[in-house]
Amino acid sequence: MSIATQQQTEQKSFDKPEETRSFENGVVDLVTLGGAEIGRLVLQPGWRWSEHVKPIAGTDLCEAPHFQYHVSGTLGVLMADGTELVVKAGEVTSLPEGHDAWVIGDEPAVIVDFFGASNYATHAH
């Protein structure tokens, strides 16, 4: 069986997400494609995970690992081990669990998350 017969062609739009999760200063839209949940996060200036999502997650740090493409804006990330990143538009990040993040500057951060979005802004299990 060839790869072409194992997969089906799919097309979806974040303009019509299957699920939307809103939280203070941010929103994540989710679509399922190829059996994976993909999220688009739009984080407004002033957003910080530890202030706006931590109360929802109930954990000290974000425990969702991420594989992300940064469409626009700038995001600061502080890992549990003290590693700090400044991520700008056009960059790709792989973040393990255990981090805080915040928007830097006056432009919203728009991020496409290919791994980890399904657990974003949900209560810890």
Side-chain angles (χ1 to χ4, degrees):
M1 181 182 280
S2 73
I3 289 219
T5 58
Q6 293 175 359
Q7 299 176 349
Q8 70 183 70
T9 302
E10 296 180 81
Q11 181 179 12
K12 298 205 177 164
S13 173
F14 285 120
D15 292 335
K16 295 180 182 177
E18 295 160 352
E19 183 180 351
T20 297
R21 297 180 192 150
S22 298
F23 41 91
E24 189 178 350
N25 288 337
V27 64
V28 60
D29 293 316
L30 297 162
V31 297
T32 303
L33 199 67
E37 248 184 338
I38 302 164
R40 176 183 62 185
L41 292 90
V42 179
L43 308 171
Q44 299 299 324
W47 174 87
R48 186 175 186 114
W49 186 92
S50 56
E51 293 177 26
H52 301 110
V53 182
K54 179 180 177 175
I56 298 167
T59 57
D60 288 334
L61 296 171
C62 180
E63 296 299 332
H66 302 285
F67 184 72
Q68 303 174 321
Y69 173 71
H70 296 257
V71 178
S72 63
T74 303
L75 197 68
V77 179
L78 178 62
M79 301 302 300
D81 68 3
T83 302
E84 191 165 346
L85 306 171
V86 174
V87 187
K88 298 180 180 183
E91 297 182 332
V92 179
T93 55
S94 177
L95 304 173
E97 63 274 347
H99 55 271
D100 192 9
W102 59 93
V103 173
I104 297 172
D106 296 329
E107 181 183 359
V110 178
I111 302 157
V112 177
D113 194 339
F114 294 96
F115 184 80
S118 61
N119 295 322
Y120 199 82
T122 61
H123 296 284
H125 301 283

